[in-house]
Amino acid sequence: MVAALELYLDVDATRRVRTLWRALEAEGIPSLGELHQKHRPHVSLAAARTIDPYAAAAALKGLEVGRGLTLRMDFVGQFVGRVLWLGVTATAELLEHHRLVHERLAAGGVELWEHYQPGRWVPHCTISMRVPNPMMAPAIRRCLEILPLTATVTGAAIADHVNGIAQPV
């Protein structure tokens, strides 16, 4: 992922995820906290190779993106490529908000990756982008130690860490 619309978590949930990142790193498992050292715990609502932060902000104007949503992380998952994540329970409220955000972005001409579209999106909080195969079981065990985790969304931004973009929306 290069650019994303990220939902940011409350202070307690952020602290718990960062603690998990550090615990994994101490065991030799790379975490998202190490990648660019700019990431903060988040759940991405949308992603693409690039997202024009000004076009996205204009499309979402007047919408409190994610703010106040309660996210419950209850399970651990893995995407192809050894990406490890905490799974967010897909509530009706979260899915409706996701649909509305995508509707507004599409109307604003913001193109996004298909696998983040409504009906295909898997809500998650990324923990590691490349867990070494022999370390997957210990990494999953560490993740399970902090679950369940409930978080309140406190903010959102278009983030492109490689290009130094963090535009609040």
Side-chain angles (χ1 to χ4, degrees):
M1 177 176 356
V2 175
L5 171 53
E6 297 179 348
L7 299 180
Y8 299 122
L9 314 178
D10 63 78
V11 173
D12 183 58
T14 295
R15 179 188 53 78
R16 290 179 64 191
V17 173
R18 285 188 187 279
T19 298
L20 171 61
W21 285 349
R22 285 190 300 274
L24 291 171
E25 292 160 14
E27 293 184 28
I29 301 166
S31 80
L32 195 61
E34 290 179 319
L35 188 63
H36 310 300
Q37 298 192 356
K38 296 178 184 176
H39 286 279
R40 60 192 274 196
H42 67 276
V43 172
S44 296
L45 281 183
R49 174 113 359 249
T50 62
I51 298 175
D52 179 334
Y54 303 105
L60 297 169
K61 187 174 180 155
L63 179 64
E64 290 290 321
V65 178
R67 285 174 186 79
L69 281 174
T70 298
L71 305 177
R72 183 163 165 101
M73 297 173 220
D74 289 311
F75 56 99
V76 179
Q78 179 187 1
F79 292 130
V80 172
R82 302 184 318 272
V83 176
L84 183 65
W85 42 269
L86 303 179
V88 177
T89 300
T91 63
E93 179 184 29
L94 176 59
L95 294 176
E96 177 58 22
H97 188 73
H98 178 254
R99 185 197 59 75
L100 177 61
V101 165
H102 275 261
E103 218 172 66
R104 298 271 298 265
L105 290 171
V110 178
E111 294 184 29
L112 302 167
W113 283 338
E114 186 177 328
H115 57 278
Y116 275 84
Q117 297 293 329
R120 301 212 44 206
W121 175 58
V122 176
H124 65 281
C125 176
T126 302
I127 299 303
S128 177
M129 296 297 289
R130 286 213 173 263
V131 177
N133 284 330
M135 300 302 289
M136 187 58 76
I140 290 170
R141 178 184 43 78
R142 280 282 181 209
C143 289
L144 291 172
E145 289 172 355
I146 74 159
L147 297 179
L149 174 60
T150 300
T152 301
V153 176
T154 58
I158 299 297
D160 179 341
H161 301 292
V162 171
N163 294 306
I165 296 170
Q167 175 68 42
V169 292

